[in-house]
Amino acid sequence: MNELLQLKGQFQYGKANPPGPPRLPKGQEVTSRHLRELADNLRDIKAYWTEHAVPFNPLVTVVYGTVVAKSNRIRRILGGASGRASDFIVGARFEGEGAKAYHEITHCVPMAAVDESIAVLDSCASIVDGQYGGAIDDAGLERVNVGGLKGRTGLAKSAFAQTIRDSFYAKRLYISSAPEAIDDWAVVSIYDTGYEDLRSFLADLGLQLMPDQVLGSAVRLDAAEYAKLAARYPFLVSMAVSDISTLTPDDFSIARNKTASISAPGGEPIIGVLDTPFDDRVYFADWVEACDLIPPEITIDASEKRHGTAVSSIIVDGPSIVPELDDGCGRFRVRHFGVATGRRSSAFSFMRNVRDIVEQNRDIKVWNISQGSVREIARNFMSPEGATLDELQSRFDDIVFVVAGTNQTKAGQEKIGAPADSINSLVVNATSFCGKTASYARQGPVLDFFKKPDVCAIGGDSDKGMPVCTATGQYLMAGTSFAAPWIARKMAYLMQVMGLTREVAKALIIDSAAGWDYRASPRRGYGRVPVRIEDVVQSCDDEIKFTLTGTSEAYATYNYGIPVPIAKKKHPYIARVTLCYFPQCDRRQGVDYTSAEMDLHFGRINDKGTIQPLDNNRQGEEGFMTTEEVARKNYRKWDNVKHIGEEPKENGRERKAYSTGMWGIKIRATRRGDGPDRRGRALRFGIVVTLREINGVNRIDDFIQRCSLRGWIVNRIDVRTSVDIYSAAEVDIDFDE
């Protein structure tokens, strides 16, 4: 086996080319009739807002004809002279199905912007009537860009051109007001209308709430409060979901008595567990620091501690309990928080508890959550629980949640449940011991796009259960709850024993699951993770596996100096590459949930000095055009995991080595907003590259030598050496005075 290599070097940075003037797609046109229809839409919105005397800025929803790219969204309409309508976006959703899906994007704008947009649409309609016979096509707009408008129109050519382009993509403007019908406690998100304090804002609207009913932009309302809000201000409700959900059950078989013992804990890494309370009558109790957060007035019986205790048994002593799943990671200590009991849970309590626990336990880097809702995720918005996990992983750049993918409880229940929709978390589904997808597995995608689950691991099934330990003996269980801890163990090993960043650790897990024969699966994610940690980290003798880390400091982050070995003027390699990053997320933005996109390009450097990408990705190249649907489908645009892989072929051929002899990697980073601060904070990424020599030759030493000559610092990462270093660092030494 070849060791994992860590390459450290300098990335270069480049700015994006300035956008050209607004244009229409070839052969398309905009009519004066459509311009006036949009203006009339805004007049209706203004009349409604004025008639109802709503005490905040108008909410205007733009209906597009397709899933629309950021560059094709309105700018001048609702954006004023600044041309930055995106600054006012407060939500986005999908309507329609399949190829007919389209965006609806909601803006909260000053009334002055509505008035200005009506005026500019009317002016554009008059110009189109007077100078273009009622319709302007792509050629006509190009003539405006080059020569300007004829006569005195009172409108700059840039304003006219952008309004025409906006109007081509915007099909209708209206007020969206169809909140969910909920007759129980509800977690409600309110559109951001510019309020500084949500509780005070709702008080001004006649809704008096207690402080503990508000958490960020979400509020917890009883049925009467929700009905009052939905009746008076239905358009103010961005999203709503029932607060009380039933937890997914796991299968338990009859207990078997088993005597077990364990040594005392030392300096092993700690994994945080958020689950049902822990039962300290087990043999490994000394390895678990338990803290129950269940209110004292709620009585907890022993059976309600069984699930959480079983999960912690795998994390602490899984290899001893299930020898055939010995992953080589050893034992882990657990800090176990009891945050749920029985079969029902409050989303609001979960959010508050998780936030407080993580903020107060910053020494814990890996958290296991094997709790999930029976209720399927919504199409157009993230669950409150999932959004809380994403926010914490964005705010703290050294933690990761490993989340169970939830189980089916009835026929026809397909989509996963909260919080398994968390985008930044590593979501784990289950297989049987023989490798088949578990009969109870649920599936993604999330928000109609994001791939979830990420991976799968053995969780047991009806043919053979997962052995776990509880206070009453050893049980055989089955569920995603018992697959997730095996991945949490690996993440903790990679991050805390081997010292890898969470981005690289997540990429290694996903890359190992995908392998060379990756097939997309809504229930298995990128595939099943190997049992042994060596098979996650190391590579075969004919492979070279290396990692890269960096931050997106500019639009383009790149290095064109990766010296892949050459034999007889050829590169005898196929390759695969996995990229992971943890973007900021905003639940209030609906389906436009992630704030950042990293577009990955990897391949040989051709004689033009550009990358010849493995997947023929030409996004960002001058003159290359594609639709948002194609970019999302083929290149996973806006997904925070990118995986590019080639399949081995029996008659595979070597690749041409261009004059530089180099391979390169390039990341193009973009943000949702259009303003000067659209770059936001620098975002870290982790990359895992695997090269496979098609003739079976081991060229790792040649690669290391070439990298060193090119100025790369190359570290060999050995699994066992990392264990020794970690163990030595954890030894307490007393010095004689």
Side-chain angles (χ1 to χ4, degrees), residues 10-15 550-558 598 667-669 671 679-685:
Q10 294 294 320
F11 282 96
Q12 305 298 315
Y13 303 100
K15 296 181 179 180
T551 56
S552 59
E553 303 287 350
Y555 168 69
T557 303
Y558 60 94
M598 289 192 182
I667 293 172
R668 289 187 173 98
R671 301 279 174 157
R679 286 287 313 134
R681 63 183 176 88
L683 193 59
R684 294 193 327 189
F685 59 82

Side-chain angles (χ1 to χ4, degrees), residues 401-422:
F401 291 95
V402 178
V403 181
T406 66
N407 310 326
Q408 285 187 2
T409 59
K410 59 183 179 181
Q413 184 186 50
E414 293 294 325
K415 287 192 174 183
I416 57 178
D421 54 345
S422 166

Side-chain angles (χ1 to χ4, degrees), residues 433-444:
F433 273 80
C434 65
K436 293 183 179 180
T437 304
S439 59
Y440 48 80
R442 293 158 75 176
Q443 68 182 44

Side-chain angles (χ1 to χ4, degrees), residues 143 156 251 288 307 339 410 421 581:
R143 288 194 295 272
D251 293 330
V288 180
H307 183 276
V339 296
K410 59 183 179 181
D421 54 345
Y581 61 100

Side-chain angles (χ1 to χ4, degrees), residues 254-386:
I254 298 175
R256 299 181 297 170
N257 291 327
K258 182 178 179 181
T259 302
S261 61
I262 192 171
S263 60
E268 293 83 1
I270 301 175
I271 295 176
V273 171
L274 302 165
D275 213 290
T276 64
F278 179 73
D279 194 326
D280 62 6
R281 295 176 296 165
V282 292
Y283 75 93
F284 58 89
D286 289 345
W287 285 71
V288 180
E289 178 186 348
C291 177
D292 288 346
L293 298 179
I294 307 300
E297 63 271 16
I298 297 179
T299 302
I300 304 172
D301 60 42
S303 65
E304 292 181 295
K305 298 181 178 181
R306 188 166 55 178
H307 183 276
T309 306
V311 168
S312 282
S313 75
I314 294 176
I315 293 175
V316 171
D317 203 23
S320 298
I321 300 171
V322 198
E324 64 190 288
L325 297 185
D326 185 356
D327 51 17
C329 296
R331 294 186 174 114
F332 295 89
R333 292 179 289 158
V334 168
R335 196 168 299 159
H336 187 118
F337 296 90
V339 296
T341 182
R343 293 297 181 190
R344 288 169 65 81
S345 176
S346 162
F348 207 77
S349 295
F350 176 88
M351 291 188 293
R352 191 178 296 279
N353 280 333
V354 171
R355 182 170 295 182
D356 291 344
I357 289 168
V358 171
E359 289 174 347
Q360 296 166 15
N361 293 269
R362 291 290 294 113
D363 59 318
I364 297 178
K365 308 305 179 186
V366 177
W367 295 87
N368 185 96
I369 299 180
S370 288
Q371 295 282 310
S373 174
V374 167
R375 184 177 59 245
E376 292 179 295
I377 57 173
R379 178 188 186 187
N380 282 309
F381 57 84
M382 179 65 53
S383 72
E385 303 97 311

Side-chain angles (χ1 to χ4, degrees), residues 41 45 59-63 93 104 172-177:
N41 292 162
I45 291 169
L59 290 158
V60 182
T61 296
V62 183
V63 180
R93 60 187 294 116
E104 290 195 1
R172 183 166 66 94
L173 306 166
Y174 80 114
I175 300 173
S176 176
S177 57

